[in-house]
Amino acid sequence: MTKILVIEDDQDIAFLVAMHLRDHGSEVEVCHDGQTGLEKACSGDYELIILDLMLPGVDGLEICRQVRAMEPYTPILMLTARSSEMDRVLGLEIGADDYLSKPFSVRELVARVKAICRRMSALKKNAESPPAVLKFDDLEIDYSGRTVKLDQAPLDLTAREFDLLWHFAGHPGQVFSRCQLLDAVWGYSHEGYEHTVNSHINRLRAKIEKDPSNPEFILTVWGVGYKFTTREGAGT
């Protein structure tokens, strides 16, 4: 049973979300203000936090920041009434694992929750395996520490950016469509969300590529998708 904390000031939305998650076997606790939500979120008692961005008192971004500064890692699904790309990017950069814009489908929210739980379960299994480090030219990816270095300098990647890079690096030369990446990294492949892959790849390129406009690691395969290659294999 997954223990979930829902921090949402709209009581109708909170009730609806909690009801459907409980119907799917989760244990759900709800709070309606930022200060109480922050205290509960920082307790480390939950396996997933569903977090509204706009809250009375402490806002969702600050709660996300403080949770991300703690151990162990707790995934965060952010809910936002703000629909601009900048707000979504800010939430992801601060450390949210995924986001949904209001109004949203409860069915989709449940699917996102299940996808996050599957991903965390897979990460836990991998963490129990011997630590793995992949090196490509001057790019080093450490799975156990979830760290990435370029020219020995550490890079600040979000959780999703790291998972995306690890998936690419684990299959060098293989071409993935956007739907395949959604399914492998996000855990769902709903049509219409391919733009999510595009925006994450653009941000990932901005961090790992010396010239993002002329990438050497993550290449676009026109009409198909993307692939990962070493610099010696670049040029596609």
Side-chain angles (χ1 to χ4, degrees), residues 96-107:
D97 293 78
D98 207 348
Y99 69 87
L100 273 176
S101 297
K102 298 177 182 178
F104 54 84
S105 158
V106 175
R107 179 181 295 180

Side-chain angles (χ1 to χ4, degrees), residues 13 28 48 59 80 114 151 165 168 178 183 192 214 216:
I13 293 177
V28 183
L48 172 66
D59 67 20
T80 174
K114 289 181 176 179
D151 289 331
L165 178 59
F168 271 128
R178 292 166 181 82
D183 190 56
N214 185 30
E216 298 175 299

Side-chain angles (χ1 to χ4, degrees), residues 64-83:
C64 190
R65 286 190 188 97
Q66 295 202 32
V67 171
R68 275 295 156 267
M70 297 176 52
E71 295 288 346
Y73 186 93
T74 304
I76 296 172
L77 172 60
M78 187 168 282
L79 306 179
T80 174
R82 302 173 180 174
S83 59

Side-chain angles (χ1 to χ4, degrees), residues 168 171 173-177 180 221 224-228:
F168 271 128
H171 306 84
Q174 184 173 342
V175 180
F176 294 98
S177 70
Q180 287 174 324
V221 181
V224 183
Y226 301 95
K227 72 175 181 178
F228 181 90

Side-chain angles (χ1 to χ4, degrees), residues 29 43 96 158 171 179 186-187 192 196 221 224:
E29 188 169 350
S43 68
T158 68
H171 306 84
C179 284
W186 278 260
T196 300
V221 181
V224 183

Side-chain angles (χ1 to χ4, degrees), residues 5-211:
L5 174 64
V6 177
I7 309 174
E8 166 63 66
D9 64 325
D10 187 314
Q11 297 193 22
D12 292 335
I13 293 177
F15 174 80
L16 190 64
V17 168
M19 179 181 69
H20 282 271
L21 291 175
R22 287 171 182 144
D23 286 346
H24 284 81
S26 296
E27 179 183 345
V28 183
E29 188 169 350
V30 176
C31 56
H32 303 294
D33 69 274
Q35 185 58 46
T36 304
L38 177 60
E39 293 168 3
K40 290 183 178 294
C42 290
S43 68
D45 292 337
Y46 305 94
E47 295 166 84
L48 172 66
I49 298 171
I50 298 178
L51 176 63
D52 186 21
L53 189 62
M54 301 176 68
L55 293 164
V58 183
D59 67 20
L61 292 177
E62 181 58 28
I63 293 174
C64 190
R65 286 190 188 97
Q66 295 202 32
V67 171
R68 275 295 156 267
M70 297 176 52
E71 295 288 346
Y73 186 93
T74 304
I76 296 172
L77 172 60
M78 187 168 282
L79 306 179
T80 174
R82 302 173 180 174
S83 59
S84 75
E85 182 179 4
M86 183 59 67
D87 289 317
R88 296 195 297 269
V89 169
L90 181 58
L92 293 169
E93 289 291 344
I94 289 173
D97 293 78
D98 207 348
Y99 69 87
L100 273 176
S101 297
K102 298 177 182 178
F104 54 84
S105 158
V106 175
R107 179 181 295 180
E108 182 176 358
L109 180 138
V110 172
R112 299 284 187 100
V113 167
K114 289 181 176 179
I116 291 173
C117 290
R118 285 196 301 269
R119 185 171 65 86
M120 294 306 296
S121 178
L123 290 176
K124 184 177 180 180
K125 289 180 181 178
N126 286 329
E128 294 169 354
S129 303
V133 177
L134 297 178
K135 294 183 179 180
F136 300 91
D137 306 308
D138 48 8
L139 181 68
E140 180 179 309
I141 312 166
D142 181 348
Y143 187 90
S144 60
R146 293 183 68 80
T147 59
V148 179
K149 294 181 180 178
L150 183 65
D151 289 331
Q152 298 300 313
L155 303 180
D156 184 19
L157 268 60
T158 68
R160 192 73 73 183
E161 289 165 356
F162 181 91
D163 291 341
L164 183 60
L165 178 59
W166 182 262
H167 182 72
F168 271 128
H171 306 84
Q174 184 173 342
V175 180
F176 294 98
S177 70
R178 292 166 181 82
C179 284
Q180 287 174 324
L181 291 170
L182 274 171
D183 190 56
V185 179
W186 278 260
Y188 56 85
S189 55
H190 303 308
E191 291 185 6
Y193 283 88
E194 289 86 352
H195 66 278
T196 300
V197 175
N198 296 344
S199 60
H200 276 76
I201 285 178
N202 288 339
R203 291 198 299 274
L204 185 55
R205 280 173 169 168
K207 295 178 180 181
I208 70 169
E209 304 283 3
K210 294 187 175 180
D211 179 7

